[in-house]
Amino acid sequence: VDTVVVDKTGTLTEGKPRVTRVVPAEGFDEATLLRLAAGLERGSEHPLAAAIVAGAEERGLSLASSEGFESVTGQGVTARIEGRSAALGNRKLLDGLGVAPGGLEAQAEELRAEGETVMFLALDGQAAGLICVADPIKDSTPEAIAALHAAGLRVAMITGDDKRTAEAIARSLKIDEVIAEVLPGGKVEAVKRLRREGRRVAFVGDGLNDPPALAGADLSAPGISRPPSLRDLHIDEVTIS
């Protein structure tokens, strides 16, 4: 193996994202945005959704009920909430709905550069604000990346995150390559592409939504449930727990 591809969420990070800030557009307030966003996300099982719901509950906000919930893979969610059409997701979701982000796009870019995942909230066809979420890096991750580099391996991070956010995280960890904005089904294609380029690939993921990519690599390590030690990272010995 000469390349290690590592899934970000739950592998490099703790897998416990939290709301870091709420940025309202003119005419809206933080509490209303977070309350409505949490009401939207009650119907989703995504970790980011759980973070938004938890963030609202921590602030003592009462969650609104939604109807007509729909999840758009890789983009976000839509529903009706308190009689209003609402959408929460990335820029692709807004574009698909014909909603202009206005001045929020520039703010979103600045926050992505800081490594935050940024979601747009739209209400009745108008961009209402941003919900920002971050997932802390595991304490063991920098040491693990350094050990892989010391073994002569190239490290690539794969994630569904926005490219700007992913690049900021990769810079902080000294990761060599970023494969961002990848849908769950696209991870296996990314692994295949690297192999076609002549690389021998090890894939490390959570074992839950990564089975195709794990199966498509030359070597895989699913379901690591504890921080890897230097012994775990020795290329001649693989421990799968």
Side-chain angles (χ1 to χ4, degrees):
V1 168
D2 56 40
T3 302
V4 178
V5 178
V6 186
D7 180 57
K8 181 184 76 72
T9 303
T11 306
L12 296 175
T13 68
E14 294 178 0
K16 299 176 181 177
R18 59 183 179 83
V19 174
T20 54
R21 71 184 89 194
V22 178
V23 182
E26 186 175 353
F28 297 92
D29 63 88
E30 293 185 21
T32 299
L33 292 186
L34 186 56
R35 183 176 65 82
L36 294 177
L40 271 175
E41 291 289 23
R42 290 175 77 176
S44 173
E45 297 180 353
H46 195 281
L48 296 183
I52 292 171
V53 172
E57 291 175 341
E58 288 170 3
R59 292 163 173 78
L61 302 176
S62 58
L63 274 60
S65 298
S66 65
E67 57 184 17
F69 176 88
E70 291 187 16
S71 176
V72 183
T73 302
Q75 296 186 24
V77 299
T78 63
R80 287 196 64 79
I81 190 164
E82 296 185 344
R84 310 172 76 174
S85 63
L88 180 67
N90 57 26
R91 178 63 190 273
K92 290 180 181 178
L93 181 68
L94 259 62
D95 290 344
L97 296 173
V99 177
L104 290 174
E105 179 59 32
Q107 295 180 71
E109 279 295 291
E110 292 177 4
L111 294 167
R112 292 183 191 117
E114 296 176 11
E116 296 195 24
T117 297
V118 181
M119 287 165 279
F120 292 89
L121 176 64
L123 297 171
D124 293 329
Q126 177 184 355
L130 306 173
I131 308 292
C132 304
V133 176
D135 188 3
I137 301 294
K138 289 179 181 178
D139 292 341
S140 60
T141 294
E143 179 187 2
I145 299 299
L148 291 169
H149 283 149
L153 297 166
R154 181 175 178 82
V155 181
M157 180 181 76
I158 191 165
T159 177
D161 279 356
D162 174 88
K163 185 177 181 181
R164 190 83 180 269
T165 300
E167 288 176 342
I169 294 170
R171 280 195 301 272
S172 71
L173 293 172
K174 297 181 173 59
I175 287 174
D176 306 296
E177 183 174 353
V178 175
I179 306 170
E181 301 178 5
V182 178
L183 299 178
K187 291 181 180 180
V188 65
E189 293 303 320
V191 169
K192 288 180 178 179
R193 174 181 61 79
L194 292 172
R195 295 183 72 191
R196 285 196 298 269
E197 293 174 359
R199 306 201 209 172
R200 293 190 60 79
V201 179
F203 187 94
V204 183
D206 60 21
L208 297 176
N209 64 358
D210 296 335
L214 288 162
D218 296 290
L219 176 69
S220 61
I224 292 177
S225 58
R226 56 181 173 79
S229 67
L230 293 179
R231 175 182 292 181
D232 294 326
L233 297 171
H234 194 286
I235 202 62
D236 294 321
E237 299 177 7
V238 179
T239 302
I240 299 177
S241 58

